[in-house]
Coordinates of all heavy atoms in Angstrom, one line a residue:
C382 N -8.8 7.3 -12.7 CA -9.2 6.5 -13.8 C -8.6 5.1 -13.7 O -7.4 5.0 -13.5 CB -8.9 7.1 -15.2 SG -8.9 5.9 -16.5
Q384 N -8.0 2.8 -15.7 CA -7.1 2.5 -16.8 C -5.8 3.2 -16.6 O -4.7 2.7 -16.8 CB -7.7 2.8 -18.1 CG -9.1 2.2 -18.4 CD -9.0 0.7 -18.6 OE1 -8.2 0.2 -19.5 NE2 -9.7 -0.1 -17.8
C385 N -5.9 4.5 -16.3 CA -4.7 5.4 -16.2 C -3.8 4.9 -15.0 O -2.6 4.9 -15.2 CB -5.1 6.8 -15.9 SG -5.8 7.7 -17.4
H402 N -8.3 14.9 -13.9 CA -9.4 14.1 -13.4 C -10.1 14.7 -12.2 O -11.1 14.1 -11.7 CB -8.9 12.7 -13.0 CG -8.4 11.9 -14.2 ND1 -7.5 10.8 -14.0 CD2 -8.7 12.0 -15.5 CE1 -7.3 10.3 -15.2 NE2 -8.0 11.0 -16.1
C410 N -12.6 10.1 -18.0 CA -11.3 10.1 -18.5 C -11.4 10.1 -20.1 O -12.0 9.2 -20.6 CB -10.5 8.9 -18.1 SG -8.9 8.7 -19.0
K412 N -9.2 9.9 -22.3 CA -8.3 9.0 -22.9 C -9.0 7.6 -23.0 O -8.9 6.9 -24.1 CB -7.0 8.9 -22.2 CG -5.9 8.3 -23.0 CD -4.6 8.4 -22.2 CE -3.5 7.5 -22.7 NZ -2.4 7.4 -21.8
H413 N -9.6 7.2 -21.9 CA -10.1 5.8 -21.9 C -11.6 5.8 -22.0 O -12.3 4.7 -21.9 CB -9.6 5.1 -20.6 CG -8.2 5.0 -20.5 ND1 -7.4 5.8 -19.7 CD2 -7.3 4.2 -21.2 CE1 -6.1 5.5 -19.9 NE2 -6.0 4.5 -20.8
C415 N -14.0 6.6 -20.0 CA -14.7 5.9 -18.9 C -14.9 6.8 -17.7 O -14.3 7.9 -17.6 CB -13.9 4.7 -18.4 SG -12.2 5.1 -17.8
Ligands
ZN1131 ZN1 -7.9 7.0 -18.0

Side-chain angles (χ1 to χ4, degrees):
C382 161
Q384 306 288 306
C385 284
H402 292 161
C410 170
K412 195 174 166 194
H413 300 103
C415 62

